[in-house]
Short mmCIF file of all heavy atoms in Angstrom, two decimals:
data_model
loop_
_atom_site.label_atom_id
_atom_site.label_comp_id
_atom_site.label_asym_id
_atom_site.label_seq_id
_atom_site.Cartn_x
_atom_site.Cartn_y
_atom_site.Cartn_z
N ALA A 122 6.41 -31.90 5.46
CA ALA A 122 6.26 -33.24 6.02
C ALA A 122 6.88 -34.33 5.17
O ALA A 122 7.24 -35.40 5.69
CB ALA A 122 4.78 -33.55 6.23
N LYS A 123 7.02 -34.12 3.87
CA LYS A 123 7.37 -35.25 2.99
C LYS A 123 8.75 -35.84 3.27
O LYS A 123 8.98 -37.02 3.01
CB LYS A 123 7.24 -34.85 1.53
CG LYS A 123 8.16 -33.76 1.06
CD LYS A 123 7.83 -33.42 -0.41
CE LYS A 123 8.71 -32.31 -0.94
NZ LYS A 123 8.35 -31.97 -2.34
N SER A 124 9.65 -35.03 3.83
CA SER A 124 10.99 -35.57 4.14
C SER A 124 10.93 -36.58 5.28
O SER A 124 11.87 -37.36 5.46
CB SER A 124 11.94 -34.43 4.50
OG SER A 124 11.52 -33.77 5.68
N ARG A 125 9.83 -36.58 6.04
CA ARG A 125 9.69 -37.52 7.16
C ARG A 125 8.79 -38.70 6.80
O ARG A 125 8.52 -39.55 7.65
CB ARG A 125 9.12 -36.79 8.38
CG ARG A 125 9.91 -35.55 8.76
CD ARG A 125 9.65 -35.09 10.18
NE ARG A 125 8.26 -34.82 10.44
CZ ARG A 125 7.63 -33.67 10.13
NH1 ARG A 125 8.30 -32.71 9.50
NH2 ARG A 125 6.37 -33.49 10.42
N MET A 126 8.34 -38.76 5.57
CA MET A 126 7.49 -39.86 5.13
C MET A 126 8.33 -41.00 4.57
O MET A 126 9.39 -40.77 3.97
CB MET A 126 6.52 -39.40 4.03
CG MET A 126 5.49 -38.40 4.47
SD MET A 126 4.41 -37.98 3.05
CE MET A 126 3.34 -36.78 3.82
N SER A 127 7.83 -42.20 4.71
CA SER A 127 8.46 -43.31 4.00
C SER A 127 8.17 -43.17 2.51
O SER A 127 7.17 -42.54 2.12
CB SER A 127 7.90 -44.63 4.51
OG SER A 127 6.54 -44.77 4.11
N PRO A 128 9.01 -43.73 1.65
CA PRO A 128 8.73 -43.65 0.21
C PRO A 128 7.35 -44.21 -0.15
O PRO A 128 6.66 -43.66 -1.01
CB PRO A 128 9.85 -44.49 -0.41
CG PRO A 128 10.96 -44.42 0.58
CD PRO A 128 10.30 -44.38 1.93
N GLU A 129 6.93 -45.28 0.52
CA GLU A 129 5.63 -45.89 0.24
C GLU A 129 4.50 -44.95 0.63
O GLU A 129 3.52 -44.81 -0.10
CB GLU A 129 5.49 -47.22 0.98
CG GLU A 129 6.47 -48.30 0.56
CD GLU A 129 7.86 -48.10 1.13
OE1 GLU A 129 8.01 -47.29 2.08
OE2 GLU A 129 8.80 -48.76 0.63
N ASN A 130 4.65 -44.29 1.79
CA ASN A 130 3.61 -43.38 2.25
C ASN A 130 3.52 -42.15 1.33
O ASN A 130 2.43 -41.68 0.99
CB ASN A 130 3.89 -42.95 3.68
CG ASN A 130 2.70 -42.35 4.40
OD1 ASN A 130 2.74 -42.10 5.59
ND2 ASN A 130 1.61 -42.09 3.69
N LEU A 131 4.68 -41.65 0.90
CA LEU A 131 4.68 -40.50 0.00
C LEU A 131 4.01 -40.86 -1.32
O LEU A 131 3.25 -40.06 -1.90
CB LEU A 131 6.11 -40.00 -0.24
CG LEU A 131 6.25 -38.77 -1.13
CD1 LEU A 131 5.44 -37.59 -0.60
CD2 LEU A 131 7.73 -38.39 -1.28
N THR A 132 4.27 -42.05 -1.82
CA THR A 132 3.60 -42.50 -3.04
C THR A 132 2.09 -42.55 -2.86
O THR A 132 1.33 -42.11 -3.73
CB THR A 132 4.12 -43.89 -3.46
OG1 THR A 132 5.49 -43.77 -3.83
CG2 THR A 132 3.34 -44.45 -4.63
N GLN A 133 1.64 -43.05 -1.71
CA GLN A 133 0.20 -43.10 -1.42
C GLN A 133 -0.40 -41.70 -1.41
O GLN A 133 -1.50 -41.47 -1.96
CB GLN A 133 -0.04 -43.78 -0.06
CG GLN A 133 0.26 -45.26 -0.04
CD GLN A 133 0.20 -45.82 1.37
OE1 GLN A 133 0.08 -45.09 2.35
NE2 GLN A 133 0.30 -47.15 1.47
N VAL A 134 0.30 -40.76 -0.79
CA VAL A 134 -0.20 -39.38 -0.72
C VAL A 134 -0.27 -38.77 -2.12
O VAL A 134 -1.25 -38.11 -2.47
CB VAL A 134 0.70 -38.54 0.20
CG1 VAL A 134 0.39 -37.05 0.06
CG2 VAL A 134 0.51 -38.96 1.66
N ARG A 227 -0.54 -36.89 10.43
CA ARG A 227 -0.07 -38.24 10.70
C ARG A 227 -1.06 -38.95 11.61
O ARG A 227 -1.56 -38.37 12.58
CB ARG A 227 1.30 -38.18 11.38
CG ARG A 227 2.05 -39.49 11.41
CD ARG A 227 3.47 -39.28 11.85
NE ARG A 227 4.31 -40.41 11.52
CZ ARG A 227 5.63 -40.39 11.54
NH1 ARG A 227 6.25 -39.26 11.86
NH2 ARG A 227 6.34 -41.44 11.22
N THR A 230 -1.48 -45.14 11.00
CA THR A 230 -1.03 -45.90 9.83
C THR A 230 -0.14 -45.10 8.88
O THR A 230 0.32 -45.62 7.87
CB THR A 230 -2.24 -46.43 9.05
OG1 THR A 230 -3.05 -45.31 8.63
CG2 THR A 230 -3.08 -47.35 9.91
N GLY A 231 0.10 -43.82 9.18
CA GLY A 231 0.93 -43.00 8.30
C GLY A 231 0.32 -41.64 8.06
O GLY A 231 -0.62 -41.24 8.75
N TRP A 232 0.86 -40.95 7.08
CA TRP A 232 0.38 -39.61 6.75
C TRP A 232 -0.78 -39.71 5.75
O TRP A 232 -0.79 -40.56 4.88
CB TRP A 232 1.50 -38.78 6.13
CG TRP A 232 2.65 -38.52 7.03
CD1 TRP A 232 3.71 -39.36 7.28
CD2 TRP A 232 2.88 -37.36 7.83
NE1 TRP A 232 4.59 -38.78 8.16
CE2 TRP A 232 4.10 -37.55 8.52
CE3 TRP A 232 2.17 -36.17 8.01
CZ2 TRP A 232 4.63 -36.60 9.38
CZ3 TRP A 232 2.69 -35.21 8.86
CH2 TRP A 232 3.90 -35.42 9.54
#
Side-chain angles (χ1 to χ4, degrees):
K123 63 184 179 182
S124 64
R125 307 198 303 278
M126 294 181 181
S127 69
E129 296 78 14
N130 197 172
L131 182 56
T132 294
Q133 291 172 352
V134 168
R227 194 170 197 165
T230 59
W232 296 83

